[in-house]
Amino acid sequence: MNRFRIPRKRWLLAVAAVATLLWYVYYPSRQILAFEDPDNGELLRFLPVAEGDHFQIKYTHSIHLSDVFEEYIIRNERLFPNRLVYEDTAVGMPANAEAGQTFTMEDGKYILSDLHGSTDKLYLTIGAVKANHQIIFKDKAYSLQDNIGPGETVAILSRRVNHWTLWKGEKLHE
């Protein structure tokens, strides 16, 4: 008789445990806002997000030197622009709304809302001098200059990843 024989029930339990662990580690079940190198898709940083979350890209306009907030909603791994908040309607900023959009003014700021369309990816070159690009998420600000680097180009997208990718990657830090 082979004294190293494993009973069938234990063997099945071991196989089930290993399969569950592998599924947990490798199944893409977590949604993130990914900041990737646009040339090779390498994950540079990430933020854990959920369906319906909002985030903003905040930056200082290069000509007006005032803050601009672009707000997006995450739905079905796509980025939907929600509103744009800014202080000047001069160079590069809208002075009115298009059909179906709303243009208002509150506290000295212009607000363009009910924006249309969506994208799977945003491309952003992080300002090296005055732009001070930040991601605002759940009342926390994350500097892209500090997290990724000034002058770098980044692709911003929502996607599902597995736990292994999360363990290897780096979250944005405040």
Side-chain angles (χ1 to χ4, degrees):
M1 178 191 255
N2 185 353
R3 62 182 177 179
F4 296 109
R5 183 162 190 233
I6 300 172
R8 183 179 172 104
K9 282 185 180 179
R10 282 193 178 163
W11 186 83
L12 288 174
L13 282 173
V15 168
V18 169
T20 301
L21 178 64
L22 289 173
W23 176 85
Y24 178 79
V25 171
Y26 291 107
Y27 182 75
S29 62
R30 300 294 309 265
Q31 189 170 8
I32 63 170
L33 186 62
F35 299 84
E36 297 181 349
D37 182 319
D39 295 327
N40 60 23
E42 175 190 356
L43 181 63
L44 303 171
R45 293 279 197 273
F46 71 90
L47 277 175
V49 295
E51 185 72 10
D53 276 349
H54 293 233
F55 73 93
Q56 293 178 329
I57 300 173
K58 176 187 175 190
Y59 60 92
T60 302
H61 194 282
S62 62
I63 296 172
H64 310 138
L65 301 180
S66 60
D67 289 338
V68 176
F69 295 84
E70 297 178 7
E71 183 178 306
Y72 295 87
I73 301 172
I74 301 167
R75 273 191 249 134
N76 298 320
E77 296 183 31
R78 293 190 62 80
L79 306 176
F80 289 80
N82 187 46
R83 64 187 205 152
L84 181 64
V85 179
Y86 51 98
E87 295 177 20
D88 296 294
T89 59
V91 179
M93 303 308 293
N96 56 23
E98 294 179 6
Q101 297 176 340
T102 305
F103 188 74
T104 58
M105 187 171 190
E106 287 178 29
D107 300 324
K109 297 185 188 300
Y110 298 98
I111 301 171
L112 185 59
S113 53
D114 301 319
L115 303 176
H116 306 294
S118 70
T119 185
D120 60 342
K121 246 179 229 186
L122 297 170
Y123 293 94
L124 175 67
T125 300
I126 300 166
V129 182
K130 296 178 184 174
N132 190 26
H133 284 102
Q134 297 177 37
I135 298 296
I136 313 271
F137 180 66
K138 294 190 176 182
D139 298 323
K140 292 183 182 176
Y142 303 90
S143 166
L144 294 180
Q145 284 88 338
D146 293 344
N147 279 277
I148 297 168
E152 296 293 326
T153 299
V154 66
I156 303 170
L157 62 145
S158 175
R159 66 178 173 112
R160 293 201 170 277
V161 295
N162 57 41
H163 284 88
W164 180 254
T165 300
L166 294 179
W167 292 331
K168 294 187 320 183
E170 287 191 58
K171 283 176 65 172
L172 286 179
H173 55 70
E174 291 180 68

